Amino acid sequence: MSTRCNLHTHSSYCDGKSTLRENVQAAISQGLEVLGFSGHSYTAFDTRYCMSREGTAAYRAEIRSLQTEYAGRLQIRLGIEQDYFAEEQNNRYDYTIGAVHYVAKDDRFWDVDESLDKSRECVNQAFCGDFYAYSQAYYALVADLPAKTGCQIVAHLDLLTKFNEGGRFFNENDPRYLDAAFSAIAALSRTGVAFEINTGAISRGYRSMPYPSPVLLKEIRRQGGRIILGSDSHCCDTLEFYFSEALELARSCGFRSRLIWEEVGFKEIAL
């Protein structure tokens, strides 16, 4: 059974620092059994971080070539991180990770995770300073991710908290925030998608805890949701970053199993 598995990996085709081959070689040296790539889907209105249209085709072709080259040494999977507002067709992939990186308001796409200042600007200008209205707009999109993207995994559920360590931006225990988040969790749980425990913001120095927060993880557990680990790696030395700690967090929130990838798809195993 392939228990060492990471399906959320970025490369130099988008905003990652390592090439596909560098990631594959690092995965083998680190003892991973399954490595899935999940390049950011092309978003025409913001090309700073995503794969280009031409690069997307090259990305698919190179991964298929690497799958053949490294057969028997590493399971390599071709995935995509599909933003809610991207129009890239995702039926050419082994799996899709759905994500919300923007909210749309007043004919503008506002970044959810670019910086604390940008988040404040969004709330002040687009939502009249009401963070809880902003969170409702965000979680409404998150709840719709399976329908919009066809995803099997939901990435970094509470990404809008990226710059909120210690509650410096808003109160994550406010009922108005939790109502929006819990409503999204309920909707997502009914679809059977996997909720990703995402450690990427820790490896890049933004947070000290994974997404989702413990209170949201406990609600996911209460709603019968399933979890999968994802490092959201942007460098080949962080492919399993903080996974041991993330497993302990999952256990403390009541989970007893997680999803991994086997040869033909997802499989549930004990924590």
Side-chain angles (χ1 to χ4, degrees):
M1 183 179 293
S2 305
T3 61
R4 294 186 63 182
C5 168
N6 175 54
L7 298 180
H8 197 156
T9 311
H10 296 287
S11 74
S12 52
Y13 275 102
C14 53
D15 58 349
K17 295 180 172 59
S18 305
T19 65
L20 295 177
R21 185 174 295 275
E22 287 169 341
N23 277 296
V24 167
Q25 292 172 343
I28 292 171
S29 69
Q30 294 167 27
L32 266 76
E33 296 158 288
V34 182
L35 178 66
F37 289 104
S38 54
H40 285 293
S41 58
Y42 176 71
T43 49
F45 60 86
D46 185 0
T47 59
R48 295 170 298 167
Y49 78 105
C50 64
M51 297 188 291
S52 65
R53 282 200 174 101
E54 298 77 12
T56 301
Y59 163 83
R60 288 196 300 266
E62 185 174 349
I63 291 175
R64 292 305 189 198
S65 176
L66 289 168
Q67 286 174 325
T68 300
E69 181 179 347
Y70 286 92
R73 301 176 64 190
L74 177 69
Q75 288 190 54
I76 301 171
R77 292 291 166 239
L78 169 59
I80 187 82
E81 183 175 356
Q82 182 86 357
D83 185 78
Y84 185 90
F85 293 106
E87 298 303 327
E88 161 73 11
Q89 292 183 348
N90 59 17
N91 56 3
R92 305 169 183 173
Y93 301 94
D94 297 333
Y95 63 91
T96 298
I97 299 175
V100 174
H101 297 99
Y102 311 90
V103 293
K105 191 78 184 300
D106 301 328
D107 298 319
R108 175 175 171 179
F109 292 102
W110 298 86
D111 291 275
V112 168
D113 64 329
E114 182 177 345
S115 69
L116 177 59
D117 288 343
K118 288 289 187 181
S119 295
R120 282 180 171 148
E121 180 186 1
C122 170
V123 171
N124 289 334
Q125 293 190 21
F127 295 92
C128 301
D130 184 349
F131 178 84
Y132 302 104
Y134 167 59
S135 65
Q136 289 167 2
Y138 169 81
Y139 279 115
L141 297 176
V142 171
D144 194 43
L145 274 169
K148 184 66 162 57
T149 69
C151 63
Q152 296 82 39
I153 301 170
V154 171
H156 36 61
L157 179 75
D158 48 348
L159 183 64
L160 79 171
T161 67
K162 181 176 179 178
F163 308 106
N164 198 49
E165 286 272 307
R168 62 179 175 172
F169 188 27
F170 70 98
N171 180 6
E172 293 182 39
N173 292 313
D174 189 292
R176 292 170 292 174
Y177 171 75
L178 291 179
D179 285 349
F182 286 6
S183 177
I185 289 169
L188 291 167
S189 296
R190 288 192 292 268
T191 72
V193 296
F195 293 84
E196 179 190 58
I197 298 183
N198 181 301
T199 63
I202 308 172
S203 65
R204 294 191 293 282
Y206 292 109
R207 289 171 61 94
S208 60
M209 291 289 287
Y211 307 108
S213 69
V215 67
L216 299 191
L217 276 173
K218 290 175 183 177
E219 181 65 12
I220 291 167
R221 177 70 184 96
R222 193 184 72 82
Q223 293 279 355
R226 302 180 299 168
I227 56 168
I228 189 168
L229 300 187
S231 66
D232 201 348
S233 178
H234 285 64
C235 183
C236 63
D237 61 0
T238 60
L239 294 174
E240 288 183 296
F241 187 86
Y242 210 78
F243 272 19
S244 295
E245 296 88 343
L247 286 172
E248 286 302 316
L249 173 63
R251 292 186 188 101
S252 74
C253 291
F255 289 94
R256 297 294 176 261
S257 63
R258 65 182 170 104
L259 293 175
I260 58 168
W261 182 279
E262 285 279 269
E263 287 286 353
V264 295
F266 294 101
K267 180 180 179 64
E268 197 157 9
I269 64 168
L271 287 182

